[in-house]
Amino acid sequence: MNINELAPLVLRRRGNMGVRAAAKEIGISPTTLTRIEKGHVPDVGTLNKLSEWLGEEPSKFTGVGDLQIAFKNKKAVPQATALALAELITQASRQFEEEVEARGH
């Protein structure tokens, strides 16, 4: 799954439920829900609420493991770039941990 599959999944889950009722159930505004259903990419907090409502892990839509990354205004980087960035962050974190352990802190 990727972030482009969010809108159809939300629409399918909402079904015949009204926008206001669904938004209230999710914990977001009706305007935000409408934008998402039109394909706009939510912020991280909204993605978390939507994911919970859908019964999915947020990482299924970001494609970056446990990192929760969402891009607004469809300014997303290609999935390969996001994965490369995630790997870079993971490696930097490991190196930092090793340096801290080596110093005995």
Side-chain angles (χ1 to χ4, degrees), residues 11-101:
L11 284 165
R12 195 170 26 253
R13 167 73 166 80
R14 183 166 71 83
N16 293 329
M17 185 186 304
V19 171
R20 290 182 190 276
K24 184 175 181 179
E25 193 173 283
I26 297 166
I28 61 176
S29 74
T31 303
T32 298
L33 180 56
T34 300
R35 282 195 304 256
I36 291 163
E37 290 179 347
K38 290 181 179 180
H40 290 264
V41 178
D43 61 35
V44 174
T46 302
L47 179 61
N48 287 337
K49 290 176 183 179
L50 284 165
S51 296
E52 183 177 332
W53 185 67
L54 293 168
E56 300 287 349
E57 289 296 320
S59 61
K60 284 189 174 184
F61 300 107
T62 61
V64 190
D66 291 333
L67 293 177
Q68 296 179 358
I69 298 173
F71 299 95
K72 287 188 165 188
N73 301 323
K74 294 193 174 193
K75 292 182 180 175
V77 296
Q79 186 172 10
T81 303
L83 291 171
L85 288 169
E87 182 61 27
L88 178 67
I89 293 166
T90 301
Q91 291 298 329
S93 176
R94 286 183 188 139
Q95 183 176 350
F96 178 74
E97 287 174 9
E98 288 172 5
E99 288 177 12
V100 168
E101 288 174 8

